[in-house]
């Protein structure tokens, strides 16, 4: 929907559990080469949705646009 809001994964915290990928219904994430999710389609992310951040067990997700 907008490129002004999309998730950013902290790979130091991310364990690759893929909870975020399985949760999001907008195909924002894909599995990357290292088995961890990558933000493949940031334009699909719904502005101000924080769904994946809330369910990430490692607190690894923040959002571009959060502070603007
Ligand atoms: S839910 Fe969190 S820890 Fe799990 S894959 Fe996504 S970002 Fe990584
Ligand atoms: S914030 Fe919402 S729409 Fe965006 S990736 Fe996470 S669950 Fe999907």
């Amino acid at each position: 929907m907008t490129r002004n809001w999309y998730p950013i994964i902290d790979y130091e915290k991310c364990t690759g559990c893929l909870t975020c990928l399985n949760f999001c219904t907008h195909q924002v994430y894909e599995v990357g080469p290292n088995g961890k999710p990558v933000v493949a389609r940031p334009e699909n992310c719904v502005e101000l949705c924080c769904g994946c951040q809330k369910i990430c067990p490692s607190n690894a997700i923040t959002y571009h646009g959060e502070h603007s």
Side-chain angles (χ1 to χ4, degrees), residues 2 29 37-38 47 60:
T2 174
Y29 294 111
V38 293
E47 192 161 12

Side-chain angles (χ1 to χ4, degrees), residues 9 13-20 37 56-58 60-61:
I9 297 172
K13 294 183 182 170
C14 175
T15 60
C17 70
L18 299 181
T19 302
C20 54
C56 172
S58 304
I61 299 176

Side-chain angles (χ1 to χ4, degrees), residues 5-7 20 23-26 28-29 44-46 48-53 61 63:
W5 181 264
Y6 54 83
C20 54
F23 174 83
C24 180
T25 54
H26 299 277
V28 173
Y29 294 111
N44 281 13
C45 186
V46 178
L48 300 181
C49 175
C50 292
C52 52
Q53 180 183 54
I61 299 176
Y63 297 95

